[in-house]
Amino acid sequence: DVKVTQSSRYLVKRTGEKVFLECVQDMDHENMFWYRQDPGLGLRLIYFSYDVKMKEKGDIPEGYSVSREKKERFSLILESASTNQTSMYLCASIRSLNTEAFFGQGTRLTVV
Amino acid sequence: LAKTTQPISMDSYEGQEVNITCSHNNIATNDYITWYQQFPSQGPRFIIQGYKTKVTNEVASLFIPADRKSSTLSLPRVSLSDTAVYYCLVESGNTGKLIFGQGTTLQVKP
């Protein structure tokens, strides 16, 4: 059974902390994505990666960075967490565009 | 990248057929149309994908007219468990991005 696993389901962090959200896929997929989801705004793309060590900005990259050192792992980093980054974060992977995307279960991050 | 427009919300009753239409006026020649379903507190799940005409699987049908500027997801005989948000995506290999819109919240009533 294919799987995208996010390291935490729920996370509470303090303002100013550096936060790491981890995503691992076991499907040998090339492309991985990080989204945030907020009520009424749908899923918004933060960053994506099409290969190891490659990354591209999505629509809302400000305040975030990413790391892809291995094909199966894509990390989202909040350099200095702020309360407006409280959100649901979703990771996805696909083998190539125009194929099925698989999502993780999501990480609900609260910054206090 | 082709932008999609779909209704924010829809209501239906159990046993009815539900059709959700998505507009994508500037779809490119090599773009595919994909629909996803999302339940609360879960990630989206792939439903169906098509390029033109009609595609059917065990869950839904997807109708795409000849000009491909819109598409319609058809859910036959919905049940309460079909209450979810449905997203229409137009995917292109030109940018590598996978862009979701706001989606359509479908509420199925008993």
Side-chain angles (χ1 to χ4, degrees):
Chain A
D1 196 18
V2 297
K3 197 178 286 187
V4 177
T5 304
Q6 295 183 228
S7 52
S8 304
R9 193 68 193 263
Y10 299 95
L11 210 53
V12 179
K13 295 292 181 180
R14 295 193 180 277
T15 301
E17 277 193 79
K18 190 168 186 176
V19 181
F20 292 86
L21 302 183
E22 306 285 348
C23 176
V24 177
Q25 50 95 2
D26 63 1
M27 297 164 283
D28 199 36
H29 283 175
E30 306 290 334
N31 305 276
M32 297 186 74
F33 303 80
W34 273 107
Y35 297 88
R36 64 176 286 175
Q37 186 170 33
D38 302 288
L41 297 178
L43 280 84
R44 293 182 291 167
L45 181 63
I46 304 172
Y47 267 98
F48 66 103
S49 168
Y50 53 88
D51 201 353
V52 175
K53 297 192 186 294
M54 305 303 289
K55 60 185 179 184
E56 294 283 345
K57 293 181 180 179
D59 295 333
I60 51 164
E62 297 78 20
Y64 304 93
S65 62
V66 290
S67 172
R68 188 142 182 229
E69 296 297 318
K70 294 185 177 181
K71 192 175 187 180
E72 66 270 18
R73 186 181 298 270
F74 192 35
S75 303
L76 180 69
I77 304 156
L78 286 66
E79 297 290 342
S80 177
S82 63
T83 55
N84 63 11
Q85 292 178 309
T86 292
S87 186
M88 169 70 86
Y89 290 88
L90 288 156
C91 172
S93 76
I94 58 173
R95 185 170 303 285
S96 60
L97 283 179
N98 299 324
T99 62
E100 179 179 350
F102 294 87
F103 280 81
Q105 77 277 27
T107 296
R108 187 164 295 281
L109 172 68
T110 302
V111 182
V112 298
Chain B
L1 196 66
K3 179 183 161 113
T4 61
T5 303
Q6 48 184 126
I8 296 296
S9 64
M10 293 180 70
D11 288 340
S12 182
Y13 290 93
E14 281 190 292
Q16 288 187 334
E17 178 185 74
V18 170
N19 295 307
I20 306 174
T21 297
C22 178
S23 297
H24 26 81
N25 291 317
N26 56 343
I27 189 169
T29 304
N30 59 348
D31 288 347
Y32 279 70
I33 300 149
T34 311
W35 286 80
Y36 287 82
Q37 175 191 55
Q38 185 182 24
F39 297 114
S41 301
Q42 294 185 23
R45 183 180 69 169
F46 174 90
I47 301 176
I48 197 166
Q49 184 181 72
Y51 183 79
K52 61 181 180 180
T53 63
K54 177 183 174 181
V55 180
T56 297
N57 61 23
E58 64 277 5
V59 176
S61 294
L62 178 59
F63 299 92
I64 305 167
D67 66 6
R68 304 199 328 120
K69 293 185 183 299
S70 66
S71 59
T72 299
L73 174 73
S74 181
L75 304 173
R77 298 179 299 282
V78 294
S79 63
L80 296 177
S81 62
D82 292 315
T83 294
V85 180
Y86 293 83
Y87 294 95
C88 162
L89 275 76
V90 174
E91 301 185 33
S92 170
N94 294 336
T95 66
K97 291 184 176 182
L98 204 59
I99 301 293
F100 287 75
Q102 291 193 4
T104 297
T105 299
L106 172 65
Q107 180 70 50
V108 179
K109 302 175 182 178

